Structures are given as C-alpha cells and as structure tokens.
Amino acid sequence: MSVKSRLHRYMRSFRRGIHILAAPVKGDNGRGGLFIQAYRGYGSRNRVFLIGRVFRQPHFGASWREDRLRRDLIDLTRRLLRKPIVGARIRIRYKDTNSFVHTDREGYFRVDMELGTMPSDVSWHEMELSLDKPVDERATTTGEFFTPLPSARYGVISDIDDTVVYTGVANTFMMMCRLFAQGAESRVVFPGVPALYQAFHAGRVDDEENPLFYVSRAPWSIYQVLVEVFRRNRLPRKPILILREWGMKRGSLLPRMARAHKQDAIRHILEIYPDMRFVLVGDSGQRDPEIYSHILREYPGRVLGIYIRDVSNTTERSEAIDRLAREAREAGCDLILAADNVAMAEHAAREGLIAERAVNAVREEQSEAERKEN
C-alpha cells in the first residue's frame, strides 16, 4: 500500500472515530442547553429497567453542516465541555403509565418501574422521556428497552473485556485505534465470537432469539464505541450493555468496585427474569470464575453453564479455576475453562444450547482469522 493510500485510509478512519465519539451531543443539533441521553434498557412483560443521564451542553457550531469534519470536532468539544445535571426530575411515559425519576450527583437516573402487560410478539419497545424539572420542553428523547419473546429458552450474560474483545475496553484510545486506525483486518473481537454469540441467540432450533446481556467495568462514556464494535463484527443487533457508573454514589468517595458492579448487575437481571435460566461467559484474567460461582450458589438451578476463556496462563490460576469447576459440577453445572470459542461451542452443542452446525461456523470463523493473521 502506498504512503498516499495509507494516509487516506487513516484520515477516513480518524473521521469515523471522531463522528462516533461526538455522537452523544448531536441530538440537540448544536443548540445547546439541557439534553437527556438514554441507554438501551431491558424488561419483562410487566417491568422495565433503563439507565440514562442528563447534561447541560454548550451552544456553538449549529451553523456548520453535519457532514463536515469540523462539525464533528466542534461536537466532540461540546461533549467534553458538557456538565451533568444534579437533582433533575425526568418524566417517563409508556402508553398509559407515567412515572418520575431524579438524577443523582453525577447526573445519572435509573428507570425501574412496573408496567401493564405488554405485547408478547414485540421484542423492542419505546418510552418517552422528558425533563420535568428544570422545565425544558426541548429536552425530550426516546428510550428503547428489550423484552424477550416467548420463544426465548435461556439468556446469556457475558463479560466484554478479554471475553468478547481484546484487552482495552476500558481504554477508549486503544479501542478506537483497533476499530478504525488499524483497519478491518485488525483484531478487535476474538475469532469465533460473532458466530458463537449468534448461535447462542439463535439457540438449538435457530429461532429462539435468546437475549444477550453484556456486563462491563467500562464507563458509559464508551457506550457508542462498543455499539459500533458490535455492529461491525456482526454480533447480535442492539446489544444490551450494562456498564459501570464511575461517579461518586451511595455515600462513597470512590466508584464501586468492578466486582460488586458485576454481581449486582447479574443479580438484577436474574430478578427481572425469575423464570429464565442463564449461560454465563467470562475470562480467567479477573474474577469472573469466582463471581459466576457465587451466582451459581446464590441462585441454584438458574445457571445452565459457565464458559471461561483462559487468558491467565499461570498454573496457580488454572488450579484455582479447576477447584471452582469441581464445585460447580457438584451443584449440577459445568464450568468450562476453554482456550478458544470452538471448545465453548462444542460443549454448548453437546448440552443442546446451540445447533450442531453452529460449531462448524465458529470453527471456520476462527480458522479464517488465523489465516489472515499468518
């Protein structure tokens, strides 16, 4: 590749990256003022949970065209300068149901409300969010939330860093370099992950549409980047991301520990869906095996299987996970420590979680990635 072509590719990649990073402020068309940002939520047939944040955004650059790089740079600057609004009151409307929530000291709000019976043949729903105090009629947005279809047989709760993507999910710059500057051939997602997660979503008979939830220690500020990673790598559409709120809360001067965040998030998912069983996927590098084993003991009969990507490469860590695997078997659940996604897929097929032919799809995807690397 010539120097000119390489430079042109990098410039296009830079432009795409800047546009995604600037996306959170674009809903106000440059007018500034108060702005509600809602992240995709999840719910059951009579309950919904959704997280969002309220900001005050500066006003400049509205006259510049949206399709120009300078407008993206201006919007990125506005994002860096926006301030969270403490104590704002947001009105939540879903059909005939109304509710109010307030923002915390970092501007976050949490919608956790009971709903009337929702249609069983629709998986994605919309709710209206508007700012009630301080009053700003322009500060409205639409929040999306997911409810599993009756065909869903189980759910999947997955870690992201070192499980779906290579290390760096908490490092925005590293993630953006891999996603854009290095081009399509760069490794962002582990080989075989898209095929395996598509197989989990499809289930054993291809039409189960099992829900996938992704729990990460990354902050919500990287939300748009992760959505783009999932889109580009053909992971099941509209990922349900449960990221970490890094602000001060609950009387603490520091963010909650990542371990506590993950356990709380998994507990909440299991409580929202009391009749659903789950597959847990993580890696050996952090505390996923211990966290998942604790969940297995806390919710007996609710965990169908635990899959752990082996990234530690130490004897002590492998022995510790082997002990947890023995405890899991005694509780009636397999904890699989796997070197790659093919091993996970083979076990999942034997357990009837995915279709047999899906194993070949995972194997081919992994082999193709290895050929490109060599």
Side-chain angles (χ1 to χ4, degrees):
M1 181 183 293
S2 68
V3 174
K4 184 177 180 180
S5 298
R6 191 184 302 274
L7 181 61
H8 183 64
R9 190 189 75 177
Y10 283 146
M11 287 302 297
R12 283 185 301 160
S13 299
F14 174 75
R15 171 66 194 282
R16 288 197 298 269
I18 292 296
H19 185 76
I20 288 174
L21 289 175
V25 303
K26 289 185 175 295
D28 68 355
N29 297 315
R31 60 174 169 76
L34 298 173
F35 183 77
I36 303 173
Q37 183 173 7
Y39 308 107
R40 289 172 187 148
Y42 56 94
S44 62
R45 289 299 160 200
N46 56 11
R47 184 179 173 191
V48 61
F49 179 76
L50 180 146
I51 286 179
R53 208 174 185 190
V54 179
F55 295 96
R56 185 180 299 279
Q57 300 180 171
H59 165 68
F60 52 85
S63 60
W64 296 104
R65 285 177 50 181
E66 278 286 354
D67 59 345
R68 298 296 177 88
L69 174 60
R70 54 190 173 186
R71 174 58 188 271
D72 285 339
L73 290 171
I74 287 172
D75 285 338
L76 179 58
T77 302
R78 292 199 306 126
R79 178 181 180 179
L80 295 174
L81 295 175
R82 66 183 182 174
K83 304 294 184 182
I85 302 299
V86 180
R89 188 167 73 167
I90 299 94
R91 179 191 294 271
I92 315 298
R93 290 190 182 94
Y94 177 75
K95 296 185 177 179
D96 297 330
T97 303
N98 285 268
S99 183
F100 292 92
V101 295
H102 292 80
T103 58
D104 64 15
R105 67 182 69 183
E106 292 297 320
Y108 287 104
F109 63 87
R110 295 155 200 81
V111 178
D112 193 347
M113 57 188 285
E114 299 292 330
L115 300 174
T117 303
M118 290 180 286
S120 61
D121 59 344
V122 178
S123 57
W124 284 96
H125 312 263
E126 294 183 348
M127 61 169 57
E128 180 185 339
L129 295 90
S130 58
L131 198 57
D132 187 68
K133 181 183 178 181
V135 177
D136 189 334
E137 294 180 356
R138 299 176 303 174
T140 62
T141 192
T142 299
E144 288 185 303
F145 66 96
F146 168 88
T147 57
L149 295 175
S151 59
R153 191 161 54 94
Y154 62 87
V156 178
I157 301 174
S158 173
D159 180 43
I160 298 179
D161 205 8
D162 271 339
T163 301
V164 175
V165 305
Y166 284 84
T167 302
V169 69
N171 186 323
T172 306
F173 178 76
M174 184 184 298
M175 179 70 70
M176 297 298 286
C177 284
R178 283 180 174 152
L179 184 60
F180 298 110
Q182 295 178 15
E185 70 279 4
S186 66
R187 280 198 175 186
V188 178
V189 170
F190 281 100
V193 163
L196 176 61
Y197 282 51
Q198 289 168 9
F200 278 138
H201 181 61
R204 183 176 53 198
V205 294
D206 285 346
D207 61 356
E208 293 175 7
E209 297 195 40
N210 299 312
L212 283 83
F213 304 84
Y214 302 88
V215 181
S216 173
R217 64 189 176 92
W220 283 104
S221 60
I222 202 175
Y223 178 82
Q224 283 77 18
V225 178
L226 288 174
V227 169
E228 182 67 9
V229 168
F230 280 62
R231 186 189 69 81
R232 282 177 169 243
N233 288 277
R234 299 178 294 104
L235 284 150
R237 64 184 293 269
K238 291 192 176 180
I240 305 165
L241 299 170
I242 306 167
L243 306 182
R244 188 176 172 201
E245 298 164 50
W246 284 65
M248 296 180 293
K249 55 187 296 188
R250 300 188 184 180
S252 174
L253 295 177
L254 295 173
R256 298 199 70 207
M257 294 177 60
R259 180 179 180 181
H261 158 73
K262 184 170 289 187
Q263 286 184 348
D264 287 351
I266 295 173
R267 288 190 187 106
H268 191 266
I269 294 170
L270 268 65
E271 289 165 5
I272 288 279
Y273 307 108
D275 299 323
M276 181 174 284
R277 302 173 75 188
F278 285 86
V279 171
L280 308 180
V281 189
D283 66 87
S284 63
Q286 299 181 32
R287 302 291 296 175
D288 288 348
E290 286 79 6
I291 292 171
Y292 294 168
S293 296
H294 185 83
I295 294 295
L296 174 63
R297 294 191 298 271
E298 191 174 352
Y299 295 89
R302 298 289 306 279
V303 181
L304 289 169
I306 300 173
Y307 296 96
I308 301 295
R309 179 185 300 281
D310 189 3
V311 298
S312 55
N313 297 320
T314 65
T315 302
E316 293 80 6
R317 186 62 175 145
S318 296
E319 290 175 350
I321 296 175
D322 284 342
R323 288 194 294 272
L324 293 174
R326 290 193 294 271
E327 294 174 6
R329 280 195 295 273
E330 292 175 0
C333 174
D334 285 343
L335 188 159
I336 304 299
L337 181 64
D340 56 33
N341 288 291
V342 173
M344 295 184 191
E346 289 173 342
H347 180 272
R350 289 195 300 271
E351 293 298 304
L353 298 171
I354 65 175
E356 289 284 348
R357 60 180 174 278
V359 179
N360 287 331
V362 175
R363 185 179 290 112
E364 291 172 4
E365 194 171 88
Q366 189 161 295
S367 298
E368 178 65 22
E370 291 171 354
R371 283 195 295 270
K372 288 182 178 179
E373 189 176 66
N374 298 327

